[in-house]
Amino acid sequence: MTATSGLGSPQLASPDLLRSVFRRHAAGVAVITAQGAAGPVGFTATSLTSVSAEPPMLSFGIGTGASSWPAVSGAEHVGVHILGEHQRELAATFARSGADRFGAPTGWRSGPEGVPVLDDVLAWLVCRVVARVPAGEHRIVLAEVLLGDPSGAGRPLLYHQGRFNGLRD
């Protein structure tokens, strides 16, 4: 018996293969925000990762073609918001190109370090950007956690098979 017994035919690496595999990977949903010269910016991210506990650091990916990239590329601080399953529409708004992400009905305020902080999320953090690492057409942003609030109520929102979903028991 081989290690691939019972599996389908392997495919060579390609963007389609990567997308197909990661559609099967359930990921938590976050919104990353920053204050840009023209106002607040933000985007939906499923690439959020805890990097280090000491010092507390995280990472997320952003495409260099994203509308938020110019602001994030120069921001000293970013906001990281963990969305709840009650925030499917908010996740979709921040994922949609050309959407008015900070207009009604989005609730938010200017938080510490001028970072836009979203209302009613499960948790939020304000982080200091320490590096932007090139990775293909993306950048991996490394950020040190400065402060936050983990006390929001609810269950996490997940992204799976191209859709926002709630967590099932």
Side-chain angles (χ1 to χ4, degrees):
M1 184 184 288
T2 65
T4 59
S5 177
L7 297 179
S9 300
Q11 300 175 27
L12 292 176
S14 71
D16 287 339
L17 173 63
L18 187 66
R19 285 185 198 101
S20 294
V21 168
F22 274 88
R23 277 188 201 106
R24 295 177 175 272
H25 174 69
V29 180
V31 168
I32 310 298
T33 62
Q35 184 60 44
V41 300
F43 63 97
T44 300
T46 57
S47 63
L48 182 65
T49 304
S50 171
V51 172
S52 170
E54 190 58 44
M57 293 185 76
L58 57 82
S59 71
F60 60 86
I62 179 172
T64 57
S67 61
S68 297
W69 172 242
V72 172
S73 71
E76 291 184 30
H77 297 90
V78 294
V80 176
H81 307 82
I82 307 301
L83 300 191
E85 63 185 0
H86 63 285
Q87 295 178 301
R88 285 182 174 97
E89 285 302 314
L90 183 68
T93 296
F94 277 83
R96 194 171 25 256
S97 180
D100 180 4
R101 297 170 178 158
F102 290 90
T106 301
W108 68 282
R109 64 193 180 286
S110 182
E113 304 295 343
V115 170
V117 175
L118 301 176
D119 294 344
D120 200 29
V121 294
L122 297 187
W124 60 268
L125 300 166
V126 170
C127 304
R128 181 179 62 83
V129 175
V130 297
R132 294 169 187 87
V133 180
E137 77 279 6
H138 281 68
R139 296 297 179 267
I140 305 302
V141 178
L142 294 169
E144 182 177 5
V145 176
L146 301 178
L147 58 101
D149 181 358
S151 66
R155 294 164 57 94
L157 182 62
L158 300 178
Y159 188 72
H160 181 252
Q161 294 287 23
R163 297 186 5 219
F164 297 113
N165 299 282
L167 182 64
R168 286 184 269 163
D169 292 329

Coordinates of all heavy atoms in Angstrom, one line a residue, residues 20-94:
S20 N -8.5 25.3 -5.1 CA -9.3 24.1 -4.9 C -9.1 23.5 -3.5 O -10.0 23.1 -2.8 CB -9.1 23.1 -6.0 OG -9.6 23.5 -7.2
V21 N -7.8 23.3 -3.1 CA -7.5 22.7 -1.8 C -7.9 23.6 -0.7 O -8.5 23.2 0.3 CB -5.9 22.5 -1.8 CG1 -5.5 22.1 -0.3 CG2 -5.6 21.3 -2.7
F22 N -7.7 25.0 -0.8 CA -8.1 25.8 0.3 C -9.5 26.1 0.4 O -10.0 26.6 1.4 CB -7.2 27.1 0.3 CG -5.9 26.9 1.0 CD1 -4.8 26.4 0.3 CD2 -5.8 27.2 2.4 CE1 -3.6 26.2 1.0 CE2 -4.7 26.9 3.1 CZ -3.6 26.4 2.4
R23 N -10.3 25.8 -0.6 CA -11.8 25.9 -0.5 C -12.3 24.8 0.5 O -13.3 24.9 1.1 CB -12.5 25.6 -1.8 CG -12.6 26.8 -2.7 CD -13.4 26.6 -3.9 NE -13.1 27.6 -4.9 CZ -12.3 27.4 -6.0 NH1 -11.9 26.2 -6.3 NH2 -12.0 28.3 -6.8
R24 N -11.5 23.8 0.7 CA -11.8 22.7 1.7 C -11.3 23.0 3.1 O -11.7 22.3 4.0 CB -11.2 21.4 1.2 CG -11.9 20.9 -0.1 CD -11.2 19.6 -0.6 NE -11.9 19.1 -1.8 CZ -12.9 18.3 -1.7 NH1 -13.4 17.9 -0.6 NH2 -13.5 17.9 -2.9
H25 N -10.5 24.0 3.2 CA -10.0 24.4 4.5 C -10.9 25.5 5.1 O -11.0 26.6 4.6 CB -8.6 25.0 4.3 CG -7.9 25.6 5.5 ND1 -7.5 24.8 6.6 CD2 -7.7 26.8 5.9 CE1 -7.0 25.5 7.5 NE2 -7.1 26.8 7.1
A26 N -11.5 25.1 6.2 CA -12.3 26.1 6.9 C -11.4 27.1 7.7 O -10.5 26.7 8.4 CB -13.3 25.4 7.9
A27 N -11.7 28.4 7.6 CA -10.9 29.4 8.2 C -11.8 30.4 8.9 O -12.9 30.7 8.5 CB -10.0 30.1 7.1
G28 N -11.3 30.9 10.0 CA -11.9 32.0 10.7 C -11.9 33.2 9.9 O -11.1 33.4 9.0
V29 N -12.9 34.1 10.1 CA -13.0 35.3 9.3 C -12.6 36.5 10.2 O -13.2 36.7 11.3 CB -14.4 35.5 8.7 CG1 -14.5 36.7 7.9 CG2 -14.8 34.2 7.9
A30 N -11.8 37.4 9.6 CA -11.4 38.6 10.3 C -11.5 39.8 9.3 O -11.6 39.6 8.1 CB -9.9 38.5 10.8
V31 N -11.6 41.0 9.9 CA -11.5 42.2 9.1 C -10.3 42.9 9.6 O -10.2 43.2 10.8 CB -12.8 43.0 9.1 CG1 -12.6 44.4 8.6 CG2 -14.0 42.3 8.4
I32 N -9.5 43.3 8.7 CA -8.3 44.1 9.0 C -8.6 45.6 8.6 O -9.1 45.8 7.5 CB -7.1 43.7 8.2 CG1 -6.9 42.1 8.3 CG2 -5.8 44.4 8.6 CD1 -6.6 41.6 9.7
T33 N -8.3 46.5 9.5 CA -8.6 47.9 9.2 C -7.3 48.8 9.4 O -6.4 48.4 10.1 CB -9.7 48.5 10.1 OG1 -9.3 48.4 11.5 CG2 -11.0 47.8 9.9
A34 N -7.3 49.9 8.7 CA -6.2 50.9 8.9 C -6.7 52.2 8.6 O -7.8 52.4 7.9 CB -5.0 50.5 8.0
Q35 N -6.1 53.3 9.0 CA -6.4 54.6 8.7 C -5.5 55.1 7.6 O -4.3 55.1 7.7 CB -6.2 55.6 9.9 CG -6.7 57.0 9.7 CD -8.2 57.1 9.3 OE1 -9.0 56.5 9.9 NE2 -8.5 57.8 8.3
G36 N -6.1 55.4 6.4 CA -5.4 55.9 5.3 C -5.5 57.4 5.2 O -6.2 58.0 5.9
A37 N -4.7 57.9 4.2 CA -4.7 59.4 4.0 C -6.1 59.9 3.6 O -6.5 61.0 3.9 CB -3.7 59.7 2.9
A38 N -6.9 59.0 2.9 CA -8.2 59.4 2.4 C -9.3 58.9 3.3 O -10.5 59.0 2.9 CB -8.4 58.9 1.0
G39 N -9.0 58.3 4.4 CA -10.0 57.8 5.4 C -9.7 56.4 5.7 O -8.7 55.8 5.3
P40 N -10.7 55.7 6.4 CA -10.4 54.4 6.9 C -10.5 53.4 5.7 O -11.3 53.6 4.7 CB -11.6 54.1 7.9 CG -12.6 55.1 7.4 CD -11.9 56.3 6.9
V41 N -9.7 52.3 5.8 CA -9.8 51.2 4.8 C -9.9 49.9 5.6 O -9.6 49.8 6.8 CB -8.5 51.2 3.9 CG1 -8.4 52.5 3.1 CG2 -7.3 50.9 4.7
G42 N -10.3 48.9 4.9 CA -10.4 47.6 5.5 C -10.8 46.5 4.5 O -11.2 46.8 3.4
F43 N -10.5 45.3 4.9 CA -10.7 44.1 4.0 C -11.0 42.9 4.9 O -10.5 42.8 6.0 CB -9.6 43.9 3.0 CG -8.3 43.6 3.7 CD1 -7.9 42.2 3.8 CD2 -7.4 44.5 4.2 CE1 -6.7 41.9 4.4 CE2 -6.2 44.2 4.8 CZ -5.8 42.9 4.9
T44 N -11.7 41.9 4.3 CA -11.9 40.6 4.9 C -10.7 39.8 4.7 O -10.2 39.7 3.6 CB -13.2 40.0 4.3 OG1 -14.3 40.9 4.6 CG2 -13.5 38.6 5.0
A45 N -10.3 39.1 5.7 CA -9.1 38.2 5.7 C -9.4 36.9 6.3 O -10.1 36.8 7.3 CB -7.9 38.9 6.4
T46 N -9.0 35.8 5.6 CA -9.0 34.5 6.2 C -7.6 33.9 6.5 O -7.5 32.8 6.9 CB -9.8 33.5 5.3 OG1 -9.2 33.5 4.1 CG2 -11.3 33.9 5.3
S47 N -6.6 34.8 6.2 CA -5.2 34.4 6.4 C -4.6 34.8 7.7 O -3.4 34.8 7.8 CB -4.4 34.9 5.2 OG -4.4 36.4 5.3
L48 N -5.4 35.1 8.7 CA -4.9 35.6 10.0 C -4.3 34.4 10.7 O -4.9 33.3 10.8 CB -6.1 36.2 10.8 CG -5.7 36.7 12.2 CD1 -4.8 37.9 12.0 CD2 -7.0 37.1 12.9
T49 N -3.1 34.6 11.3 CA -2.4 33.6 12.0 C -1.7 34.2 13.2 O -1.1 35.2 13.2 CB -1.3 33.0 11.1 OG1 -1.9 32.5 9.9 CG2 -0.6 31.8 11.8
S50 N -1.8 33.5 14.3 CA -1.0 33.8 15.5 C 0.4 33.4 15.2 O 0.7 32.2 14.8 CB -1.5 33.0 16.7 OG -0.7 33.2 17.8
V51 N 1.4 34.2 15.5 CA 2.8 34.0 15.2 C 3.6 33.7 16.4 O 4.4 32.8 16.5 CB 3.4 35.1 14.4 CG1 4.9 34.9 14.2 CG2 2.7 35.3 13.0
S52 N 3.4 34.5 17.5 CA 4.3 34.4 18.6 C 3.5 34.9 19.9 O 2.7 35.8 19.8 CB 5.5 35.3 18.5 OG 6.2 35.4 19.7
A53 N 3.7 34.2 21.0 CA 3.1 34.7 22.2 C 3.9 35.7 23.0 O 3.5 36.5 23.7 CB 2.8 33.5 23.2
E54 N 5.3 35.6 22.8 CA 6.2 36.5 23.4 C 7.3 36.9 22.5 O 8.2 36.2 22.1 CB 6.8 35.7 24.6 CG 7.6 36.6 25.5 CD 6.8 37.8 26.1 OE1 5.7 37.6 26.6 OE2 7.4 38.9 26.1
P55 N 7.2 38.1 21.9 CA 6.1 39.1 22.1 C 4.9 38.6 21.3 O 5.0 37.9 20.4 CB 6.7 40.4 21.5 CG 7.6 39.9 20.5 CD 8.2 38.7 21.0
P56 N 3.7 39.1 21.8 CA 2.5 38.7 21.0 C 2.5 39.3 19.6 O 2.5 40.5 19.4 CB 1.4 39.3 21.9 CG 2.0 40.4 22.7 CD 3.4 40.0 22.9
M57 N 2.5 38.4 18.6 CA 2.5 38.8 17.2 C 1.6 38.0 16.4 O 1.3 36.8 16.7 CB 3.9 38.7 16.7 CG 4.9 39.6 17.3 SD 6.5 39.5 16.5 CE 6.2 40.4 14.9
L58 N 1.1 38.6 15.3 CA 0.2 37.9 14.4 C 0.7 38.2 13.0 O 1.5 39.1 12.8 CB -1.2 38.2 14.6 CG -1.6 39.7 14.6 CD1 -1.8 40.2 13.2 CD2 -2.9 39.9 15.4
S59 N 0.1 37.5 12.0 CA 0.3 37.8 10.6 C -1.0 37.7 9.8 O -1.9 37.0 10.2 CB 1.4 36.9 10.0 OG 0.9 35.6 9.9
F60 N -1.0 38.4 8.7 CA -2.1 38.3 7.7 C -1.5 38.6 6.3 O -0.5 39.3 6.2 CB -3.3 39.2 8.1 CG -3.0 40.7 8.1 CD1 -3.0 41.4 7.0 CD2 -2.6 41.3 9.3 CE1 -2.7 42.8 7.0 CE2 -2.3 42.6 9.3 CZ -2.4 43.4 8.2
G61 N -2.2 38.1 5.3 CA -1.8 38.4 4.0 C -2.7 39.4 3.3 O -3.9 39.5 3.6
I62 N -2.2 40.2 2.4 CA -2.9 41.1 1.6 C -2.3 41.2 0.2 O -1.1 41.3 0.1 CB -3.0 42.5 2.3 CG1 -3.8 43.5 1.4 CG2 -1.6 43.0 2.7 CD1 -4.1 44.8 2.1
G63 N -3.2 41.2 -0.8 CA -2.7 41.4 -2.2 C -2.3 42.8 -2.5 O -2.9 43.7 -2.0
T64 N -1.2 42.9 -3.2 CA -0.7 44.3 -3.5 C -1.6 45.0 -4.5 O -1.5 46.2 -4.7 CB 0.7 44.2 -4.1 OG1 0.7 43.4 -5.3 CG2 1.7 43.7 -3.1
G65 N -2.6 44.3 -5.1 CA -3.6 44.9 -6.0 C -4.9 45.3 -5.2 O -5.8 45.9 -5.8
A66 N -4.9 45.0 -3.9 CA -6.2 45.3 -3.2 C -6.3 46.8 -2.9 O -5.3 47.5 -2.8 CB -6.1 44.5 -1.8
S67 N -7.5 47.2 -2.9 CA -7.8 48.7 -2.7 C -7.2 49.2 -1.4 O -6.9 50.3 -1.2 CB -9.3 49.0 -2.8 OG -10.0 48.3 -1.9
S68 N -7.2 48.3 -0.4 CA -6.7 48.6 0.9 C -5.1 48.7 1.0 O -4.6 49.2 2.0 CB -7.2 47.7 2.0 OG -8.6 47.8 2.1
W69 N -4.5 48.0 0.1 CA -3.0 47.9 0.2 C -2.3 49.2 0.3 O -1.4 49.4 1.1 CB -2.4 47.1 -1.0 CG -0.9 47.1 -1.0 CD1 -0.2 47.6 -2.0 CD2 0.0 46.6 0.0 NE1 1.2 47.5 -1.7 CE2 1.3 46.9 -0.4 CE3 -0.2 46.1 1.2 CZ2 2.4 46.6 0.3 CZ3 0.9 45.7 2.0 CH2 2.2 46.0 1.5
P70 N -2.6 50.3 -0.5 CA -1.8 51.5 -0.4 C -1.8 52.1 1.1 O -0.8 52.5 1.6 CB -2.5 52.5 -1.3 CG -3.1 51.6 -2.4 CD -3.6 50.4 -1.6
A71 N -3.0 52.0 1.8 CA -3.0 52.5 3.1 C -2.3 51.5 4.1 O -1.5 51.9 4.9 CB -4.5 52.6 3.6
V72 N -2.5 50.2 3.9 CA -1.8 49.2 4.8 C -0.3 49.2 4.6 O 0.4 49.1 5.5 CB -2.4 47.8 4.5 CG1 -1.6 46.7 5.3 CG2 -3.9 47.7 5.0
S73 N 0.1 49.5 3.3 CA 1.5 49.5 3.0 C 2.3 50.6 3.8 O 3.5 50.5 4.0 CB 1.8 49.7 1.5 OG 1.5 51.0 1.1
G74 N 1.6 51.7 4.2 CA 2.2 52.8 4.9 C 1.7 52.9 6.3 O 2.3 53.8 7.1
A75 N 0.8 52.1 6.8 CA 0.2 52.2 8.1 C 1.2 51.8 9.2 O 1.9 50.7 9.0 CB -1.1 51.4 8.2
E76 N 1.3 52.5 10.3 CA 2.1 52.1 11.4 C 1.3 51.1 12.3 O 1.9 50.3 13.0 CB 2.5 53.3 12.2 CG 3.6 54.1 11.5 CD 4.1 55.3 12.4 OE1 4.1 55.1 13.6 OE2 4.4 56.3 11.8
H77 N 0.0 51.2 12.3 CA -0.9 50.4 13.1 C -2.1 49.9 12.3 O -2.5 50.6 11.3 CB -1.5 51.3 14.3 CG -0.4 51.7 15.2 ND1 0.3 52.9 15.0 CD2 0.2 51.1 16.3 CE1 1.2 53.1 15.9 NE2 1.2 52.0 16.7
V78 N -2.6 48.7 12.7 CA -3.8 48.1 12.0 C -4.7 47.6 13.1 O -4.2 47.3 14.2 CB -3.4 47.0 11.1 CG1 -2.6 47.5 9.9 CG2 -2.6 45.9 11.8
G79 N -5.9 47.5 12.8 CA -6.9 46.8 13.6 C -7.2 45.4 13.1 O -7.3 45.2 11.9
V80 N -7.4 44.5 14.0 CA -7.7 43.1 13.6 C -9.0 42.8 14.4 O -9.1 42.9 15.6 CB -6.6 42.1 14.0 CG1 -7.0 40.7 13.7 CG2 -5.3 42.5 13.3
H81 N -10.0 42.4 13.6 CA -11.4 42.1 14.2 C -11.8 40.7 13.9 O -11.8 40.3 12.7 CB -12.4 43.1 13.6 CG -11.9 44.5 13.7 ND1 -11.1 45.1 12.8 CD2 -12.3 45.4 14.6 CE1 -10.9 46.3 13.2 NE2 -11.6 46.6 14.3
I82 N -12.1 39.9 14.9 CA -12.6 38.6 14.7 C -14.1 38.6 14.6 O -14.8 39.1 15.6 CB -12.2 37.6 15.9 CG1 -10.7 37.7 16.1 CG2 -12.7 36.2 15.7 CD1 -9.8 37.3 15.0
L83 N -14.7 38.2 13.5 CA -16.1 38.3 13.3 C -16.9 37.1 13.8 O -16.4 36.0 13.9 CB -16.4 38.4 11.8 CG -15.8 39.6 11.0 CD1 -16.4 39.7 9.6 CD2 -15.9 40.9 11.8
G84 N -18.1 37.4 14.2 CA -19.0 36.4 14.7 C -20.0 35.9 13.6 O -20.1 36.6 12.6
E85 N -20.6 34.8 13.8 CA -21.5 34.3 12.8 C -22.7 35.2 12.4 O -23.3 35.1 11.4 CB -22.0 32.9 13.1 CG -22.8 32.8 14.4 CD -23.2 31.3 14.7 OE1 -22.8 30.4 14.0 OE2 -23.9 31.2 15.7
H86 N -23.0 36.1 13.3 CA -24.0 37.1 13.1 C -23.5 38.2 12.1 O -24.3 39.1 11.8 CB -24.5 37.7 14.4 CG -23.4 38.5 15.1 ND1 -22.4 37.9 15.8 CD2 -23.2 39.8 15.3 CE1 -21.6 38.8 16.3 NE2 -22.0 40.0 16.0
Q87 N -22.3 38.2 11.6 CA -21.7 39.2 10.8 C -21.4 38.8 9.4 O -20.4 39.3 8.8 CB -20.5 39.8 11.5 CG -20.8 40.4 12.8 CD -19.6 40.9 13.6 OE1 -18.7 40.2 13.9 NE2 -19.6 42.2 13.9
R88 N -22.2 37.9 8.8 CA -22.0 37.5 7.4 C -22.0 38.7 6.5 O -21.2 38.8 5.6 CB -23.0 36.5 7.0 CG -22.8 35.1 7.6 CD -23.9 34.1 7.1 NE -23.7 32.8 7.6 CZ -24.2 32.2 8.6 NH1 -25.1 32.9 9.4 NH2 -23.9 31.0 9.0
E89 N -23.0 39.6 6.7 CA -23.1 40.7 5.8 C -21.9 41.7 5.9 O -21.4 42.2 4.9 CB -24.4 41.5 6.0 CG -25.6 40.8 5.5 CD -25.5 40.5 4.0 OE1 -25.2 41.4 3.2 OE2 -25.8 39.4 3.5
L90 N -21.4 41.8 7.1 CA -20.3 42.7 7.3 C -19.0 42.1 6.6 O -18.3 42.8 5.9 CB -20.0 42.9 8.8 CG -18.8 43.8 9.1 CD1 -19.1 45.2 8.8 CD2 -18.5 43.7 10.6
A91 N -18.8 40.8 6.7 CA -17.7 40.1 6.1 C -17.9 40.3 4.5 O -16.9 40.5 3.9 CB -17.7 38.6 6.4
A92 N -19.1 40.1 4.0 CA -19.3 40.3 2.6 C -19.0 41.7 2.1 O -18.4 41.9 1.1 CB -20.7 39.8 2.2
T93 N -19.4 42.7 2.9 CA -19.2 44.1 2.6 C -17.7 44.4 2.5 O -17.2 45.0 1.5 CB -19.8 45.0 3.6 OG1 -21.3 44.8 3.6 CG2 -19.5 46.5 3.4
F94 N -16.9 43.9 3.5 CA -15.5 44.2 3.4 C -14.8 43.3 2.4 O -13.6 43.6 2.1 CB -14.9 44.0 4.8 CG -15.1 45.2 5.7 CD1 -16.2 45.4 6.4 CD2 -14.0 46.2 5.8 CE1 -16.4 46.6 7.2 CE2 -14.2 47.3 6.6 CZ -15.4 47.5 7.2

